[in-house]
Amino acid sequence: YFHEMAVDPQQPEHPLRDRFVLSNGHCCAALYSSLARRGYFPADQLAQFRKYGSHFQGHPHLGALPGIEMSTGSLGTGVSVAGGMALAAQVDGSPARIYAVTSDGESQEGQPWENATAAAHYGLGNLTLLLDWNGIQIDGRTEDVMNPGDIAAKYAAFGWQVLEVDGHNTQALIDALAEARADTGRPALLACRTKIGKGVSYMEDVPDFHGMAPNDEQAIQALRELGDP
């Protein structure tokens, strides 16, 4: 939202805008925060997150907030719709680029691989997926629940441009996005190696915190460890 996409918070429905789809929609707290910081709505509204009747639901809801391009949460569907958006832009001759975040847990679904086939077939060079590859899902470690194997190698075999990157290194992500954009003939996967709870001692690589909120004491500790006084 700050380095890559052509968007205008004052014109969130501009027909030539780039699109972003959070396919693993349960990570929406990060999406809402990004949209607020980018100017789509006041940041003080974030305090409504997951409250009854709020627009800030536990999964993104199309139409509830400006900047939300798709209702997601049913895993597998977001990447497919992102592929459809990219194909539509290609057919229309639009300069719009489509970005989506997916995950290793979501890669256990079938739809992402149908999209992988179609996107490579149609040469969707305007489509970039960012894979959050942390080895953890809500029920434990992905290798124990349903091992997706070497996801990067699989996408490469489908014909995608694959770039492996440290998902916690912002500059590395910016550089990889630029490299993906330069390859106009095929879709790109940024295989982002990440660690759940990065920067918080008691959260790092702990599966429970995939879906568990910290208590008040833990939240204070987390903020301090992340550098918030």
Side-chain angles (χ1 to χ4, degrees), residues 2-20:
F2 300 91
H3 296 275
E4 177 71 14
M5 292 196 300
V7 294
D8 180 0
Q10 304 307 311
Q11 301 182 80
E13 300 296 324
H14 195 289
L16 300 183
R17 70 190 182 281
D18 290 346
R19 272 84 164 171
F20 175 84

Side-chain angles (χ1 to χ4, degrees), residues 162-187:
V162 174
L163 303 166
E164 297 204 37
V165 61
D166 176 358
H168 299 294
N169 186 325
T170 303
Q171 188 57 55
L173 286 166
I174 292 170
D175 293 344
L177 285 165
E179 188 173 345
R181 193 181 339 107
D183 190 337
T184 59
R186 54 182 177 162

Side-chain angles (χ1 to χ4, degrees), residues 102 128-132 160-165 172-180 188-193:
T102 184
T128 298
L129 299 187
L130 294 92
L131 169 70
D132 181 16
W160 288 52
Q161 177 193 24
V162 174
L163 303 166
E164 297 204 37
V165 61
L173 286 166
I174 292 170
D175 293 344
L177 285 165
E179 188 173 345
L189 175 81
L190 272 58
C192 305
R193 290 289 190 173

